[in-house]
Amino acid sequence: LPGFGNDQVDYRAPLGLPEECGLVAALERRGFAVAVAPVDRGDWLKVLTEGWRDADFFFKERGGVASPAFAWYAEKVSAAVAAVDGPVLLLGHSAGGWLAKLACLADDDVATRCAAIVSLGAPHAPPPAGVPCATRGVVASVFAAPWPDAFDGAIVTVASDSVRGDAASSDGERATAADAYRRVTGNAADVGDSVVPLAAAHLPEADARLTLACKHSINVAGSGVPTDDWYGAEKWIDAWLGPALEQVRRPRWLREAGRRVFPAGITN
């Protein structure tokens, strides 16, 4: 599931690189059949062009789970899931992580068929009071909503602590990270993946919470230069894929027992 502003091609042939460099190819090499939600870069304009019809979203910054600002994304996920057979693992990058939950809330068929949600650098937690929300309240509504009864899958959140924000730094990555973190948690000095701070990237109800030392995006922050150091890079995939599949293989009763013993989830 693509992140905010991303296009499906970013996971197939990122930044014009050969397809063998993409996340899709990396997962296919590991034996997975992969379908990317059919999100084009221009679709993200619908957040505003559809969202303006929702007064709670547009004027009050209290957008709900069903807000048309993001309903189109849930429909794209439903279409992708409907096009394949059997259980699915929803792998959400960045905003795609919290939008995976929204898709389950919007469509019981998606929730029923979802064996797991794995989020990579997703800003799950809403900004604190006083910090403007880029989703105008929708992420807060999704965060607060109970999981649908139809959802019986594992939940794995993957985050990073590789970059500490520093607005005064001469290091462009740290300075860019400081601005990004401030927009999510209000704290420019947080640690995170250079875009999403660690403090917002884990769900309290997750079965496993993994913190790596990689970066957020397919490109170096603030540039168009490709990187082999992001969540979906070949050298990082197995660090989260293995633990995620371990959770998928566990029966529900064992995952629930684990949540009781480890209320904050299993951490690395």
Side-chain angles (χ1 to χ4, degrees), residues 92-95 119-123 158-160 193 196 201 216 231:
H93 173 231
S94 196
S119 65
L120 307 177
V158 186
S160 172
D193 60 16
V196 174
H216 183 87
Y231 294 105

Side-chain angles (χ1 to χ4, degrees), residues 26-43:
L27 292 171
E28 290 177 338
R29 286 193 291 271
R30 288 162 171 80
F32 291 90
V34 182
V36 183
V39 175
D40 297 325
R41 219 173 305 281
D43 287 335

Side-chain angles (χ1 to χ4, degrees), residues 148-186:
D149 292 338
F151 179 78
D152 189 30
I155 303 169
V156 178
T157 53
V158 186
S160 172
D161 60 1
S162 63
V163 180
R164 180 172 291 281
D166 183 352
S169 177
S170 58
D171 181 331
E173 183 175 54
R174 294 189 66 185
T176 299
D179 181 62
Y181 299 165
R182 178 181 55 79
R183 296 172 187 271
V184 178
T185 63

Side-chain angles (χ1 to χ4, degrees), residues 56-233:
D56 284 338
F57 169 85
F58 201 78
F59 296 107
K60 302 177 183 178
E61 297 190 25
R62 292 202 302 266
V65 170
S67 174
F70 291 96
W72 62 270
Y73 190 102
E75 292 168 2
K76 299 252 184 191
V77 177
S78 292
V81 170
V84 300
D85 296 324
V88 298
L89 185 156
L90 295 182
L91 177 63
H93 173 231
S94 196
W98 67 265
L99 285 165
K101 181 181 178 182
L102 182 146
C104 289
L105 290 165
D107 186 341
D108 276 351
D109 185 58
V110 172
T112 300
R113 293 180 55 194
C114 184
I117 287 177
V118 179
S119 65
L120 307 177
H124 288 291
V131 177
C133 177
T135 72
R136 306 187 74 78
V138 179
V139 72
S141 295
V142 172
F143 183 76
W147 288 84
D149 292 338
F151 179 78
D152 189 30
I155 303 169
V156 178
T157 53
V158 186
S160 172
D161 60 1
S162 63
V163 180
R164 180 172 291 281
D166 183 352
S169 177
S170 58
D171 181 331
E173 183 175 54
R174 294 189 66 185
T176 299
D179 181 62
Y181 299 165
R182 178 181 55 79
R183 296 172 187 271
V184 178
T185 63
N187 183 4
D190 266 339
V191 296
D193 60 16
S194 77
V195 174
V196 174
L198 177 61
H202 285 311
L203 283 170
E205 68 269 31
D207 298 294
R209 308 193 319 170
L210 309 174
T211 301
L212 310 178
C214 58
K215 305 298 173 58
H216 183 87
S217 303
I218 58 176
N219 57 287
V220 176
S223 79
V225 179
T227 177
D228 63 353
D229 200 27
W230 77 290
Y231 294 105

